[in-house]
């Protein structure tokens, strides 16, 4: 991944980068192949980001230690979940220092991968149709008038997906080592109970109907 300058210059740089690779003599099949490779890599990023957010939601509920925490965590962004999980982990003194450090390290990895995911998903994009051509992203810097431009090969995009997957796996492993393998079920407990209540009510209604 390559970074260019900020501000208005970044917009010009982005346009120059988008044309720096020759487009001549590119067949329709080659263009389709490039687009398929790029979109497949982006789809993998989205897929792994969803898995990470699910893991983060479960970890938040585990750290709070209540099945009711899902009501607060559900639908929150990855940034919100990471920040609050980090705060909870740092003061969870029922764990050892090493266990807390492992959870925070996995959260730091998740934060870095999520920032790259946000750029790839939400930034304005352009890309070369040449086989192996880069994808270019440009987005505003929060709280600033400056812009940030980056370029990505398909391999670099796939690497973001793998980092998201590794962060999810490392985080799940760290929380289970610290709190037990069953702890990640806390976030699903309310949904399971609701399902059982609905099934019981349905069986009771069916029984009542058969007796009338």
């Amino acid at each position: 991944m390559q970074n260019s300058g900020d501000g208005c210059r970044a917009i010009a740089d982005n346009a120059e980068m988008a044309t720096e690779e020759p487009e001549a003599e590119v067949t329709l099949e080659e263009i389709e192949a490039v687009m398929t490779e790029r979109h497949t890599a982006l789809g993998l990023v989205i897929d792994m980001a969803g898995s990470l957010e699910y893991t983060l939601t479960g970890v938040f509920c585990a750290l709070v230690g209540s099945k009711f925490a899902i009501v607060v965590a559900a639908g929150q962004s990855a940034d919100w979940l990471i920040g609050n999980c980090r705060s909870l982990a740092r003061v969870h003194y029922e764990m050892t220092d090493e266990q807390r450090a492992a959870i925070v390290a996995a959260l730091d990895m998740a934060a870095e991968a999520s920032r790259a995911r946000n750029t790839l998903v939400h930034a304005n994009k352009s890309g070369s149709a040449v086989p192996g051509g880069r994808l270019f992203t440009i987005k505003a810097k929060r709280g600033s008038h400056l812009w940030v431009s980056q370029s990505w090969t398909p391999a670099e995009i796939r690497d973001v997906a793998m980092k998201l997957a590794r962060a999810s796996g490392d985080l799940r492993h760290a929380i289970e080592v610290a709190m037990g393998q069953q702890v990640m079920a806390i976030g699903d407990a309310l949904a399971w109970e609701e399902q059982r209540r609905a099934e019981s009510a349905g069986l009771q209604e069916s029984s009542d109907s058969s007796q009338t």
Side-chain angles (χ1 to χ4, degrees):
M1 181 176 60
Q2 298 176 343
N3 295 331
S4 66
D6 293 330
C8 295
R9 179 183 174 186
I11 300 176
D13 288 345
N14 191 61
E16 291 175 5
M17 285 190 298
T19 58
E20 69 182 9
E21 297 174 341
E23 303 285 353
E25 305 299 328
V26 178
T27 67
L28 179 59
E29 289 77 13
E30 288 174 325
I31 293 173
E32 290 177 346
V34 169
M35 296 298 291
T36 297
E37 182 181 22
R38 184 179 298 146
H39 290 161
T40 299
L42 286 169
L44 189 60
V45 168
I46 293 169
D47 189 12
M48 293 301 100
S51 296
L52 175 60
E53 288 185 14
Y54 179 79
T55 298
L56 286 165
T57 299
V59 168
F60 175 85
C61 295
L63 290 169
V64 171
S66 170
K67 64 185 179 182
F68 301 107
I70 187 63
V71 178
V72 177
Q76 297 288 357
S77 67
D79 286 346
W80 188 95
L81 291 165
I82 290 167
N84 282 281
C85 285
R86 187 185 285 118
S87 297
L88 288 165
R90 284 174 173 163
V91 298
H92 207 301
Y93 297 119
E94 294 178 0
M95 301 177 189
T96 66
D97 291 346
E98 292 77 11
Q99 289 168 344
R100 290 197 302 275
I103 293 170
V104 171
L107 289 167
D108 289 343
M109 184 190 306
E112 180 182 357
S114 290
R115 284 192 293 270
R117 174 264 179 200
N118 290 343
T119 296
L120 286 167
V121 171
H122 297 298
N124 186 35
K125 305 175 192 64
S126 63
S128 171
V130 174
R134 291 176 174 270
L135 174 73
F136 305 100
T137 60
I138 183 166
K139 63 182 296 187
K141 182 182 293 186
R142 180 174 295 179
S144 171
H145 65 288
L146 302 177
W147 295 77
V148 177
S149 179
Q150 294 174 280
S151 66
W152 312 75
T153 65
E156 288 168 339
I157 298 173
R158 288 191 296 271
D159 186 56
V160 172
M162 294 303 99
K163 287 179 179 177
L164 290 163
R166 284 195 296 272
S168 181
D170 286 359
L171 183 56
R172 176 178 285 272
H173 176 73
I175 199 74
E176 289 179 348
V177 167
M179 303 183 72
Q181 292 187 347
Q182 302 301 318
V183 72
M184 287 294 286
I186 292 177
D188 295 322
L190 274 183
W192 291 339
E193 291 174 6
E194 183 69 23
Q195 182 178 352
R196 286 195 293 271
R197 281 195 296 270
E199 291 172 351
S200 296
L203 290 173
Q204 183 63 46
E205 183 178 344
S206 177
S207 176
D208 293 342
S209 298
S210 65
Q211 293 176 7
T212 57

